[in-house]
Amino acid sequence: MTNLVGRVALGLAGFSLVARDRSADLATIREGIAAGTAILDTARAYAQVEAPLYGEELAAEAARGSGVLIGTKGGHSRTGADTWDADISASRIRSDVETSLRVFGADRLDLYYLHRVDLAEQPVEEGVAALVSLRDQGKVARIGLSNVTVEELERATAITRVDAVQNRHTALGRESADVVAWCEANAVPFFAYSPLRSAAPAPRLTALADSRGVSPQRLLLRALLESSPVLSVVSGATRPVTVLDSLAAEHEPWDEELQAAYTQDLTEVAR
């Protein structure tokens, strides 16, 4: 099975939440797969109001026959133009998994997350227990948690091993540093979503990128990948050029000059 760690996954939220050119988006995702994308990241909540399964359907169509790993999420869905729900009850998770299986035309889902643990009224144990049962039935291969705290991870792992965690964690904000540390201590892959969404400047890294003829975004993603042995990133790129640039971060050389530039920018942000 695909190794999860140190990868650049292609996130499909940006392709799914607003009306776009579906044919062009499929071509972009497939171009990313051809260039080496090993993981697609989608969710039941990545949808359009009139197309509640759009994100998963897009992933299924783009990845057909490719063999890439698909991570998807449930317990959270779009209910209107600006509204979403959050429900990780056992009945909801079972229903969402069955729907995803139908969308992907699969007997088993590669990686399935509880999407909004932070917003759900139910305890994390209920959703995790439902996924354990579904895994025992062969319907889910890996169990993940998204938008989760260390305390919730401890409660979840009292029931079963968690195979992946996905939280917001930006290259300059390091918002989930405590969760990343927990993942390191427990050898659990961590996926950083919105890795570039930060208002903080990175002048030294930007200058270095300019001198090397690459994008600052590529170097920021590379630095974030280097920051933890369990970390992968979810790229929100939606254009062919940015998708390919994000993928290039996985193989961008790491050296003392890049480390120093990133460290100095982090220090400035922390002040």
Side-chain angles (χ1 to χ4, degrees), residues 233-252:
V233 298
V234 180
S235 168
T238 56
R239 296 180 295 120
V241 64
T242 52
V243 167
L244 297 179
D245 191 55
S246 293
L247 291 175
E250 187 177 343
H251 305 291
E252 183 70 20

Side-chain angles (χ1 to χ4, degrees), residues 176-190:
S176 291
D178 60 336
V179 174
V180 173
W182 184 94
C183 288
E184 290 174 355
N186 292 277
V188 176
F190 176 92

Side-chain angles (χ1 to χ4, degrees), residues 7-15 28-29 32 37 39-42 46 73 166-167 169 191-197 215 217-218 220-222 224-225 231-250:
R7 296 283 189 172
V8 176
L10 179 56
L12 302 194
F15 293 97
T28 295
I29 297 166
T37 296
I39 303 171
L40 296 183
D41 182 80
T42 189
Y46 299 168
K73 315 174 193 73
Q166 185 176 143
N167 275 14
H169 189 67
F191 282 84
Y193 76 76
S194 298
L196 299 176
R197 189 176 296 174
S215 71
Q217 292 81 8
R218 185 191 300 189
L220 281 166
L221 290 179
R222 180 66 185 90
L224 195 52
L225 287 169
L231 192 142
S232 298
V233 298
V234 180
S235 168
T238 56
R239 296 180 295 120
V241 64
T242 52
V243 167
L244 297 179
D245 191 55
S246 293
L247 291 175
E250 187 177 343

Side-chain angles (χ1 to χ4, degrees), residues 71-105:
T72 190
K73 315 174 193 73
H76 181 49
S77 62
R78 191 170 192 172
T79 57
D82 299 303
T83 58
W84 282 260
D85 71 354
D87 179 357
I88 59 171
S89 65
S91 60
R92 171 63 178 273
I93 296 305
R94 286 194 296 267
S95 175
D96 281 1
V97 166
E98 292 294 345
T99 298
S100 295
L101 288 167
R102 289 195 296 273
V103 170
F104 289 109

Side-chain angles (χ1 to χ4, degrees), residues 17-172:
L17 296 174
V18 298
R20 292 172 52 93
D21 184 329
R22 182 185 177 92
S23 296
D25 285 347
L26 285 169
T28 295
I29 297 166
R30 287 168 176 156
E31 186 172 348
I33 291 171
T37 296
I39 303 171
L40 296 183
D41 182 80
T42 189
R44 178 68 180 273
Y46 299 168
Q48 298 169 11
V49 175
E50 68 282 1
L53 302 176
Y54 189 85
E56 290 189 325
E57 290 172 344
L58 191 69
E61 186 173 354
R64 189 170 295 127
S66 68
V68 302
L69 184 148
I70 299 176
T72 190
K73 315 174 193 73
H76 181 49
S77 62
R78 191 170 192 172
T79 57
D82 299 303
T83 58
W84 282 260
D85 71 354
D87 179 357
I88 59 171
S89 65
S91 60
R92 171 63 178 273
I93 296 305
R94 286 194 296 267
S95 175
D96 281 1
V97 166
E98 292 294 345
T99 298
S100 295
L101 288 167
R102 289 195 296 273
V103 170
F104 289 109
D107 296 321
R108 184 176 67 170
L109 301 171
D110 296 329
L111 170 59
Y112 199 87
Y113 295 91
L114 300 181
H115 194 164
R116 294 307 303 241
V117 175
D118 57 332
L119 299 181
E121 294 183 0
Q122 300 82 12
V124 65
E125 289 88 348
E126 182 172 354
V128 170
L131 285 179
V132 170
S133 176
L134 289 159
R135 185 182 60 192
D136 291 345
Q137 296 170 45
K139 295 182 177 182
V140 172
R142 296 179 176 94
I143 292 173
L145 298 179
S146 184
N147 299 293
V148 67
T149 66
V150 169
E151 188 265 340
E152 288 161 339
L153 282 165
E154 293 286 1
R155 286 161 51 194
T157 53
I159 299 173
T160 190
R161 175 175 173 78
V162 172
D163 298 303
V165 170
Q166 185 176 143
N167 275 14
R168 176 172 176 170
H169 189 67
T170 63
L172 292 174

